[in-house]
Amino acid sequence: MNTLITLMGLLSFLGLEKRSELSTLSNPQQWLMELTGNRSKSGQNVTIENTMGLPALFGAYRIIYEDTASLPQIVYERTKDGVFPVETGKLRRLLKTEPNEMMSSYDLKAANSLSLESTGNYFNRIYRSRQDGIEAIIPLDYKDVVIKKHNTKPKIWYEVSSRDLAGNHKKEILEHDDIEHGRANTLNGIIGRSPILVCMEAVGRMLATQEFASDFYANGAHVTGLISSAVQLTDNQYESVLKWWKKRTENNRGGTAVLGSDMKYQRISATPAEAELGNAFNLTDKQINQMLRIPPVMNGDNTRQSNNNREQEAIDYVTHTLRPRAKCMEAEKNRKYWLTPENRDKYFVEFNFDAHLRADSERRAKLIEVFVQNGIMTPNEARKYENMPAIDGGDDLLVMTNMAFMKDLGKITEAMVGKNNQLKPNEDTKMDKNTDKTT
């Protein structure tokens, strides 16, 4: 028994504990989705890649990942005097400029955001050194990552597939601290779910509508018809007429065909109006905006736009669409970038939404004016907000002196009366009208 316990402890120390993949039929991992596909009731095989061809869906993805990538990531430090941005350090450079030698910080944020929206997960591998901390942050393809969970303990690993320089396939088992893993639409807190999979039937209908429209217009909007004859046709005559008609109409869209005197053609396909393809596509756009919480006006639907609701829709988009995504990414970064509780309490990463919430120049000027006049922001802080250089004497807070608490009005009045009395000239002081000087 002791030998068995010792062996299990050794396996745990070596990282050879028994693991199981977190993939089920109801919540498959993304590599399983791509391997088997997901056929909807409409007959369409729904995958991440083929749904990118839906213009409204691709447009919604693009809105979110471009806006997320444009948000600055700022590293803050908590001190006894307050919270301040970290101005130096390798992690600041990685998040602000270049997370690795292959891409910019914008590219990494865009890749993470697009993967999160389309697959429900994004993965970054964190490369660390003992001396300098984090050296690089590199995104991983969701198809190359499999999450493994300990059978009895609350512990997970990541199996990452890759190829070496010689092209040989290899797999690595990495600790959870080495992988930054953002999740969306998760049921168990470990694996995110793709909105494409969750709404597979709706997305399948969208693909079917797109395919039907392509076939419909590819044949000049006349898909099928009935050729009838007043006389009985033999099998050879039937095949000959059918072959001739197919050849005649296959590459001649919208033309005119001539039939024999004893034959007539009756179109039985739906007209464009009857097919209501326009309404079908409008429904597709609406459902995609609902899936990803996109204001319709931002994704090409201007039917309900007005000057009164445009600004409010932009604020709602930032509050209810961008902010939850950003909080998801912030929580994972703050959990994985610092390994000790002390550093996690001291440092944190946050997205800056100031650029998205900026109003027009006039409103922004009034807001800054209120902040400076009421001691919330120094003049130099206001100038920095507008990307202007600092000025001498601009680091002190200002405050307006024409406001006071009502309970202090009596004291202020007495002080002002006393001050005015000190400024009055004495009775024996005379003014020389010629020189404008007192004598």
Side-chain angles (χ1 to χ4, degrees):
M1 184 68 178
N2 292 335
T3 304
L4 178 60
I5 295 176
T6 304
L7 179 59
M8 292 178 63
L10 179 61
L11 292 176
S12 176
F13 177 76
L14 295 176
L16 300 177
E17 298 166 291
K18 190 174 181 180
R19 311 177 179 98
S20 60
E21 292 185 9
L22 283 173
S23 185
T24 64
L25 292 178
S26 61
N27 189 28
Q29 296 197 21
Q30 296 300 326
W31 65 268
L32 185 57
M33 282 181 56
E34 296 301 322
L35 179 63
T36 62
N38 290 271
R39 184 165 296 277
S40 66
K41 293 180 180 179
S42 61
Q44 298 296 314
N45 195 38
V46 179
T47 65
I48 302 299
E49 276 71 18
N50 68 0
T51 54
M52 289 285 188
L54 296 169
L57 183 60
F58 179 76
Y61 284 157
R62 185 177 178 184
I63 290 169
I64 294 176
Y65 80 70
E66 286 183 349
D67 286 344
T68 303
S70 66
L71 293 173
Q73 295 179 104
I74 302 177
V75 181
Y76 289 97
E77 179 181 4
R78 298 183 180 93
T79 68
K80 62 181 181 180
D81 297 324
V83 177
F84 301 95
V86 176
E87 300 296 339
T88 60
K90 180 168 291 187
L91 181 58
R92 175 184 178 274
R93 178 184 61 80
L94 293 175
L95 295 180
K96 184 177 182 180
T97 308
E98 188 181 53
N100 57 72
E101 295 181 351
M102 298 179 290
M103 61 190 66
S104 67
S105 61
Y106 180 96
D107 298 328
L108 178 64
K109 288 182 288 185
N112 289 163
S113 178
L114 178 56
S115 181
L116 185 65
E117 293 305 317
S118 60
T119 71
N121 300 270
Y122 80 85
F123 302 94
N124 290 334
R125 182 166 181 178
I126 303 172
Y127 290 86
R128 289 184 171 90
S129 67
R130 293 184 178 180
Q131 295 79 14
D132 300 326
I134 298 178
E135 293 286 342
I137 304 171
I138 298 179
L140 300 174
D141 192 327
Y142 68 92
K143 298 177 185 177
D144 296 333
V145 181
V146 176
I147 305 174
K148 294 182 176 291
K149 183 179 181 298
H150 195 283
N151 285 342
T152 58
K153 299 178 182 179
K155 185 176 183 180
I156 62 173
W157 297 266
Y158 293 89
E159 182 182 89
V160 179
S161 301
S162 61
R163 292 185 179 274
D164 56 23
L165 296 178
N168 299 318
H169 186 77
K170 65 175 184 177
K171 293 184 178 181
E172 297 179 84
I173 299 294
L174 300 177
E175 294 290 335
H176 74 95
D177 289 334
D178 295 326
I179 297 292
E180 178 188 340
H181 176 198
R183 309 159 179 87
N185 312 311
T186 179
L187 290 176
N188 57 11
I190 299 176
I191 301 178
R193 296 193 302 163
S194 168
I196 303 302
L197 178 61
V198 175
C199 304
M200 183 182 67
E201 293 301 329
V203 176
R205 289 193 299 270
M206 299 174 193
L207 293 173
T209 302
Q210 182 170 264
E211 182 179 347
F212 173 78
S214 299
D215 294 339
F216 189 83
Y217 290 109
N219 204 27
H222 297 285
V223 184
T224 61
L226 176 65
I227 300 175
S228 61
S229 175
V231 298
Q232 183 69 29
L233 299 179
T234 65
D235 292 343
N236 291 336
Q237 289 174 330
Y238 172 81
E239 294 293 340
S240 178
V241 171
L242 188 61
K243 183 178 180 181
W244 171 85
W245 179 260
K246 183 177 181 181
K247 181 179 180 181
R248 173 65 183 78
T249 59
E250 187 173 18
N251 296 314
N252 187 15
R253 302 171 188 171
T256 302
V258 180
L259 298 174
S261 59
D262 58 346
M263 304 180 70
K264 64 179 181 179
Y265 172 76
Q266 180 182 359
R267 178 166 55 83
I268 61 174
S269 61
T271 64
E274 292 168 342
E276 295 185 343
L277 289 178
N279 291 337
F281 284 123
N282 289 337
L283 178 61
T284 293
D285 296 348
K286 180 180 179 180
Q287 289 180 329
I288 287 175
N289 293 334
Q290 290 173 340
M291 282 170 52
L292 300 179
R293 204 180 293 164
I294 299 292
V297 67
M298 298 184 66
N299 205 15
D301 183 3
N302 298 320
T303 55
R304 298 184 179 181
Q305 179 186 2
S306 67
N307 293 331
N308 295 330
N309 64 11
R310 181 62 188 268
E311 182 178 353
Q312 185 59 45
E313 283 187 348
I315 295 175
D316 291 342
Y317 164 71
V318 172
T319 304
H320 301 298
T321 303
L322 280 188
R323 187 174 181 274
R325 270 85 166 178
K327 289 299 178 183
C328 166
M329 301 172 78
E330 288 172 0
E332 184 67 4
K333 293 176 188 297
N334 293 327
R335 193 167 75 101
K336 297 293 180 67
Y337 287 174
W338 294 279
L339 299 180
T340 63
E342 293 77 11
N343 283 336
R344 287 176 180 171
D345 292 339
K346 186 176 182 181
Y347 299 101
F348 66 96
V349 177
E350 193 171 80
F351 285 93
N352 188 346
F353 281 88
D354 287 347
H356 279 282
L357 294 176
R358 276 188 171 184
D360 55 73
S361 300
E362 181 179 357
R363 294 182 182 181
R364 193 165 69 250
K366 290 182 179 180
L367 177 65
I368 294 176
E369 179 183 3
V370 171
F371 278 8
V372 172
Q373 290 182 351
N374 290 276
I376 301 174
M377 181 184 291
T378 68
N380 278 343
E381 288 173 338
R383 293 175 66 85
K384 183 178 180 181
Y385 183 76
E386 292 295 322
N387 294 321
M388 300 173 66
I391 59 175
D392 293 337
D395 293 325
D396 294 327
L397 292 172
L398 305 176
V399 63
M400 298 177 65
T401 59
N402 59 348
M403 296 182 65
F405 293 106
M406 294 183 66
K407 63 180 182 179
D408 296 331
L409 288 179
K411 299 178 182 179
I412 295 175
T413 302
E414 293 176 359
M416 293 180 65
V417 170
K419 184 177 181 180
N420 291 335
N421 291 335
Q422 293 178 1
L423 295 177
K424 288 182 179 181
N426 296 329
E427 295 181 356
D428 56 349
T429 302
K430 299 180 179 180
M431 181 70 69
D432 188 340
K433 297 181 179 179
N434 296 327
T435 61
D436 288 339
K437 295 180 178 180
T438 56
T439 58

